[in-house]
Amino acid sequence: MAVDAAAQVIDGKAFAAGLRGRIADAVPAFVAATGRAPGLAVVLVGDDPASAVYVGSKGKATVAAGMASFEHRLPATATQDEVEALLARLNADDAVDGILLQLPLPGHLDEQVAVATIDPDKDVDGLTPVSAGRLALGIAGMVPCTPYGCLLLLQDRLGDLSGKDAIVVGRSILVGKPMGQLLLGANATVTMAHSRTKDLPALVRRADIVVAAVGRAEMVKGDWIKPGAIVIDVGINRLPPADGAAKGRLVGDVDYAEVAAVADAITPVPGGVGPMTIACLLRNTLVAAHRRAGLADPEGF
Ligand code: NDP
């Protein structure tokens, strides 16, 4: 479909590939210093097919970066104690620098309690209460991968974010809240919007930076956007299939065609924020490995 697109497309796929390459280049120096590769353990409970695909691609990307990948699968019937016991073993395992508990867990398990048992220094998903607290306090820690990826794309585009007006639409623990903290840490002036926000279009219209993390297909419209704004679309939504198609199209939380005609730059869906998430998971694993080994953080990440 032809689109009247004034905006530049922010190519997250290419940026993520570059980041993964730089991570792979940094691994040999870590191996030389410590005698072992950085290690990422991924825990999958149950047999949700989408989660199994995510876990598979995380494992492949880890190995491709020269790191060690440890995959642990527990049955859907696993108890809370069994999940926590596995996480405790991984906390104690010196070969493991990062632990990722693939969410969602089966309904009978308490996700928050399970996540909180992960050693914060190995919390490469940045979801433990300690990681959230460190981020809020501005202390070095692990930052959730998706918002960190958004920050990297914004800084690549804009350089210094000081004084920029930013709005984050969505306040989830996974994306919206840490995104707000990261933007604040980068000296942007941040508005956090959510389902109870009044006159959202008017607030979005003030922003130089718009991050949409809502989970509602094509909600952010072209006439909400200030001309020249940068728009980061975190949403991944599948539309109902068109006649005869097996699957519907994937779209973001932003009406791409409308917004691209007004914004300065925009991330596409797919190929924008999505690829950044795994690249930042590898980045977090590399950083966690350095800190655990008592080495300075690798430069340029
Ligand atoms: P959640 O469902 O956890 O949070 C959605 C947020 O959007 C909530 O804070 C909610 O507000 C807010 N919201 C809902 N409706 C409206 C509305 N009409 N106006 C304003 N705010 C609204 O979602 P996530 O943050 O986990 O994910 C958001 C999207 O990002 C999803 O599409 C998800 O698939 C995608 N995603 C993509 C990733 C990637 O790698 N690209 C990674 C993670 C998520 P309230 O708090 O008031 O309910």
Side-chain angles (χ1 to χ4, degrees):
M1 185 179 59
V3 168
D4 173 22
Q8 302 248 336
V9 179
I10 299 174
D11 188 345
K13 201 171 165 190
F15 191 96
L19 178 56
R20 287 207 315 267
R22 287 190 289 119
I23 292 165
D25 289 346
V27 167
F30 180 85
V31 176
T34 64
R36 66 177 187 87
L40 173 64
V42 180
V43 176
L44 176 63
V45 186
D47 33 37
D48 176 61
S51 292
V53 171
Y54 292 141
V55 165
S57 44
K58 283 166 187 169
K60 272 191 208 138
T62 307
V63 171
M67 301 188 190
S69 169
F70 309 102
E71 203 178 300
H72 294 268
R73 288 176 183 246
L74 292 176
T77 52
T79 64
Q80 186 82 22
D81 282 351
E82 284 165 344
V83 174
E84 289 177 20
L86 172 57
L87 294 172
R89 279 206 302 284
L90 296 172
N91 283 343
D93 185 342
D94 250 351
V96 172
D97 297 293
I99 302 171
L100 185 147
L101 177 60
Q102 183 68 41
L103 303 177
L105 295 181
H108 65 283
L109 298 172
D110 187 329
E111 278 182 9
Q112 271 194 345
V113 171
V115 166
T117 62
I118 295 172
D119 176 348
D121 294 336
K122 297 188 176 188
D123 174 25
V124 283
D125 241 358
L127 294 179
T128 62
V130 172
S131 295
R134 285 174 174 166
L135 179 59
L137 294 173
I139 298 170
M142 290 289 126
V143 175
C145 302
T146 301
Y148 191 71
C150 296
L151 182 75
L152 292 182
L153 292 178
L154 284 167
Q155 287 175 328
D156 182 57
R157 184 86 208 167
L158 292 170
D160 186 7
L161 306 186
S162 290
K164 301 279 183 200
D165 264 313
I167 186 162
V168 181
V169 190
R171 56 174 167 181
S172 70
I173 292 166
L174 186 62
V175 188
K177 274 186 193 156
M179 187 75 245
Q181 295 286 356
L182 285 170
L183 287 165
L184 204 53
N187 297 318
T189 304
V190 183
T191 302
M192 297 292 308
H194 45 79
S195 66
R196 317 284 171 89
T197 297
K198 287 186 191 146
D199 202 358
L200 182 60
L203 288 176
V204 174
R205 225 170 270 131
R206 292 194 336 215
D208 308 307
I209 294 169
V210 179
V211 180
V214 185
R216 296 174 84 95
E218 300 177 318
M219 186 185 84
V220 176
K221 299 296 179 191
D223 63 359
W224 297 21
I225 300 296
K226 175 159 93 177
I230 310 289
V231 179
I232 304 289
D233 189 354
V234 182
I236 303 177
N237 311 287
R238 196 171 286 284
L239 294 178
D243 284 346
K247 272 186 181 178
R249 236 168 13 103
L250 273 189
V251 297
D253 292 340
V254 172
D255 187 322
Y256 187 87
E258 281 190 23
V259 170
V262 185
D264 178 60
I266 181 169
T267 55
V269 177
V273 173
M276 293 300 289
T277 300
I278 288 190
C280 290
L281 175 67
L282 301 178
R283 175 264 176 202
N284 279 355
T285 304
L286 183 72
V287 170
H290 279 72
R291 290 181 186 164
R292 291 188 59 251
L295 300 171
D297 279 4
E299 276 184 38
F301 298 100

